Amino acid sequence: MTAEREVWREALGVVLATSAYGVSFGALAVASGLDVWQACVLSLLMFTGGSQFAFVGVFAAGGLAALPSAIASAALLGVRNVAYGMRMSPIVGGKPLRRAAAAHFTIDESTAVAISQDDPRLRQVGFWVTGVGIFVGWNITTLIGALVGDVLGDPRTWGLDAAAAAAFLALLWPRLRRRQAIAVGVAAAVVAAALTPFLLPGLPVLVAAVVAIVVGWFNWLGRAGDPSAPHARPEESA
């Protein structure tokens, strides 16, 4: 199997796993009081799963009175995409129109698949296949979930709530080969899990990102000779 085919296979696996979760969003959105077309518009324009779930979750709890809180929660979760955009900008490259189009497809999954590749061309393949594929699949499954939500029942009984997390774990696992990478992942996960019951949706993710940056920057558990260490001197990594 060629390297490009391998990237396509990896990207399409993530597309299938994440798109399946769109059924859950469509069903939840309609159950929260939105119309089918409103649920579909959210997926078309917002297109960031975590923010969409945060929006309908808060909206379901308070109705129109909770609309400002729902928008704020969705915006907090969407802030992470700004960091993704900064990371993906040199990878996407091209003219302003190309960058503008890429911005809509810059999500957790497309960024993860792209940066997991070593070759610049394969990074672009991973980004576009994953981003566009999930956009199409997510919108289709949102419509399906909104239409058959009552028949589907609780999406968690089908394991759809774990599909996206499982896809992320599959991407992350091969990169956990050094103590430093493990330390960053564990520290961020512990902080996010500990703060989730106490902070608004979105804030635990941002705090965990700061913790990950601090742990990675100081290379607390990295080896002095590790060339990936941010402060390794040339003579140390030679």
Side-chain angles (χ1 to χ4, degrees):
M1 181 177 295
T2 64
E4 184 167 336
R5 287 188 62 186
E6 180 65 25
V7 175
W8 271 82
R9 189 179 71 169
E10 180 178 300
L12 291 177
V14 175
V15 168
L16 291 175
T18 306
S19 296
Y21 199 23
V23 175
S24 179
F25 170 74
L28 179 62
V30 172
S32 300
L34 298 181
D35 295 332
V36 172
W37 73 269
Q38 290 173 326
C40 292
V41 167
L42 274 178
S43 286
L44 281 170
L45 301 182
M46 188 178 290
F47 185 51
T48 169
S51 295
Q52 293 179 228
F53 277 102
F55 180 89
V56 297
V58 177
F59 180 78
L64 288 177
L67 189 59
S69 298
I71 295 174
S73 298
L76 282 173
L77 276 171
V79 168
R80 70 191 189 279
N81 286 3
V82 176
Y84 295 157
M86 295 171 62
R87 180 66 178 87
M88 293 305 302
S89 180
I91 294 176
V92 173
K95 298 181 179 179
L97 184 60
R98 177 184 176 90
R99 291 175 179 269
H104 196 57
F105 304 122
T106 302
I107 55 176
D108 303 311
E109 294 83 0
S110 61
T111 302
V113 173
I115 65 176
S116 67
Q117 313 304 322
D118 296 323
D119 183 84
R121 185 181 64 84
L122 295 181
R123 287 184 171 183
Q124 289 204 17
V125 172
F127 172 80
W128 288 107
V129 173
T130 307
V132 175
I134 291 178
F135 179 77
V136 174
W138 182 265
N139 281 279
I140 292 174
T141 54
T142 293
L143 175 60
I144 294 173
L147 292 174
V148 302
D150 293 336
V151 178
L152 179 67
D154 188 352
R156 290 177 295 183
T157 61
W158 300 88
L160 296 179
D161 57 323
F168 268 115
L169 183 60
L171 290 171
L172 177 64
W173 190 260
R175 303 179 70 86
L176 299 180
R177 298 177 180 176
R178 296 188 175 93
R179 290 183 299 175
Q180 177 66 10
I182 296 173
V184 170
V186 170
V190 169
V191 170
L195 295 179
T196 295
F198 308 105
L199 298 180
L200 290 172
L203 285 180
V205 175
L206 298 179
V207 176
V210 173
V211 172
I213 292 172
V214 171
V215 175
W217 179 262
F218 288 102
N219 194 34
W220 285 332
L221 294 181
R223 297 176 181 175
D226 187 349
S228 66
H231 295 303
R233 294 187 297 271
E235 64 270 20
E236 291 177 333
S237 58

